[in-house]
Amino acid sequence: MDQTLRTEHAPPLPPVEKARGQGVARVVLVLALAALGLWILSGFLPALAWAVVLAIALWPLYVRVERRFPPGGHNVVLPLVATLLVALVFLAPLVVVGIQAAREAHDVLDFVRAAEKDGIPVPDVVNHLPYGAAQASAWWSANLSHPDAGSDMLRRLDNNSVIGVSRNVGKEVVHRIVLFGFSLVALFFLFRDGRTIRDQVLVACNRLFGPRGERVGRQMVASVHGTVDGLVLVGLGEGVVLGIVYYFAGVPHPVLLGAFTAVAAMIPFGAALAIAIAALLLVAAGSVKAAVIVAVAGFVVTFVADHFVRPALIGGTTKLPFLWVLLGILGGVETFHLLGLFLGPAVMAALMLLWREFTVGADAKAP
């Protein structure tokens, strides 16, 4: 009873302590809600990050189109058209690859039937090997050229394993389609409300971190633009140039291989894999001189792109030395996969900006 009376008639907390306690409680509540929100959206964070990267990369072009065709009161048509065009850019190559794969499936099926019936004949390239041609040809004839070779290979395949792999691939495809659709929806709203979101982010950075936070945000946005110019556009250029080389050199399916080269060239040193595949296809067909031409042309194109064009585009925008650009790209790809192409340089650019401000401030204060 006495304890209850003491509690009811306890003196109120001083205003300073009360405000401090409310501030701590508010911070705890914000952190808890933020953690809960991130946990709920954890499966969709990569898709949302892709939408943000695409919006940042395409925003200057979108603003130009918006000035030419001012939006109406609802501001729906232009963001919708821009989002559909982005979807078309991603889906069109996949449709072309799917059609080409369907065409090639008939030839693959004929090859499997012929291998099951008559075996796999020794390729000409095996007989023209500079070393070990006789041994390789004898091994091939003993293991793959007899009529039962194809049947033996097919019997070794476990149907349950094949079915399990097919199910996993199907689940991954459906999951990627859902994430891609969510990215497009988020991209539509980023196009529609881009200016409002930008202003809110800048205000939040100013309130949380002061002017330095706004500078870091702007530097990260600039790094995304530089990465898009240095990786995506340069990679597409490499794919076009090398695709022309493939065509005149007689590489099978030069358009598809050129598209693969463009995608691989977006990753540093990735174009070498596509060039090696093209050269090996020519060697397998017996065109050694054409393979050498493709290898030399690929080396020249990638050397110029990786050592002159990309450092100028990415380093000039992000103000990063090429070493840190390279480490940011490779580390980002290893950590975040393809999304790391853009996140890695952005993080490195922010860290480099903070380091420069810290060191310049330290030098300025030094006696």
Side-chain angles (χ1 to χ4, degrees):
M1 183 69 177
D2 295 338
Q3 183 68 28
T4 304
L5 291 175
R6 287 196 197 100
T7 304
E8 291 178 353
H9 297 285
L13 291 174
V16 175
E17 295 184 5
K18 183 177 180 181
R20 184 180 303 170
Q22 290 177 347
V24 172
R26 187 161 50 246
V27 170
V28 172
L29 178 62
V30 169
L31 292 177
L33 289 177
L36 181 61
L38 290 175
W39 181 66
I40 293 173
L41 297 176
S42 59
F44 295 93
L45 287 179
L48 186 59
W50 270 115
V52 172
V53 168
L54 290 173
I56 292 174
L58 298 174
W59 186 252
L61 180 60
Y62 180 81
V63 170
R64 292 181 185 177
V65 177
E66 191 179 42
R67 290 172 182 171
R68 187 175 182 86
F69 304 100
H74 298 286
N75 191 18
V76 173
V77 176
L78 187 58
L80 181 61
V81 172
T83 305
L84 292 177
L85 288 176
V86 172
L88 183 63
V89 168
F90 282 94
L91 293 177
L94 296 178
V95 172
V96 173
V97 171
I99 294 174
Q100 189 66 32
R103 292 177 179 175
E104 297 294 334
H106 179 72
D107 296 337
V108 173
L109 183 60
D110 291 341
F111 174 79
V112 171
R113 289 175 179 173
E116 187 176 5
K117 181 180 179 181
D118 303 322
I120 305 173
V122 181
D124 293 335
V125 66
V126 175
N127 297 322
H128 293 86
L129 290 175
Y131 301 102
Q135 294 82 351
S137 178
W139 180 89
W140 194 288
S141 299
N143 293 276
L144 300 176
S145 293
H146 58 85
D148 295 331
S151 299
D152 293 340
M153 293 176 63
L154 292 175
R155 291 193 193 100
R156 293 174 185 174
L157 293 176
D158 186 3
N159 290 333
N160 293 329
S161 299
V162 173
I163 293 173
V165 171
S166 301
R167 288 178 178 175
N168 291 332
V169 171
K171 291 180 181 178
E172 285 296 322
V173 169
V174 173
H175 181 64
R176 301 296 177 185
I177 291 175
V178 172
L179 291 182
F180 181 67
F182 179 78
S183 296
L184 293 178
V185 173
L187 183 62
F188 167 79
F189 287 103
L190 288 174
F191 278 145
R192 195 190 68 173
D193 305 321
R195 288 181 174 82
T196 302
I197 296 174
R198 179 197 61 190
D199 295 339
Q200 291 175 351
V201 170
L202 291 178
V203 170
C205 289
N206 258 322
R207 290 184 176 180
L208 290 174
F209 309 108
R212 180 176 297 177
E214 182 177 346
R215 288 195 297 271
V216 170
R218 292 186 183 277
Q219 183 68 15
M220 295 182 72
V221 170
S223 71
V224 172
H225 288 295
T227 306
V228 169
D229 294 338
L231 294 181
V232 178
L233 297 183
V234 174
L236 292 176
E238 289 184 53
V240 171
V241 174
L242 292 176
I244 295 173
V245 174
Y246 298 157
Y247 175 79
F248 286 104
V251 179
H253 311 296
V255 176
L256 290 180
L257 195 55
F260 174 71
T261 304
V263 176
M266 295 178 190
I267 303 174
F269 315 113
L273 175 62
I275 297 169
I277 293 174
L280 289 176
L281 289 175
L282 290 174
V283 171
S287 302
V288 179
K289 293 182 179 180
V292 173
I293 293 174
V294 167
V296 172
F299 172 78
V300 171
V301 171
T302 55
F303 182 84
V304 172
D306 291 339
H307 291 81
F308 295 98
V309 180
R310 276 192 174 132
L313 290 175
I314 301 179
T317 304
T318 60
K319 298 179 181 179
L320 275 177
F322 180 69
L323 175 62
W324 292 108
V325 173
L326 183 62
L327 292 176
I329 292 172
L330 296 179
V333 170
E334 184 179 0
T335 306
F336 300 105
H337 306 293
L338 191 59
L339 187 61
L341 287 174
F342 308 95
L343 293 183
V347 174
M348 290 296 106
L351 290 175
M352 184 59 68
L353 176 63
L354 293 176
W355 173 254
R356 285 169 179 161
E357 289 189 351
F358 176 76
T359 55
V360 169
D363 292 340
K365 294 177 182 179

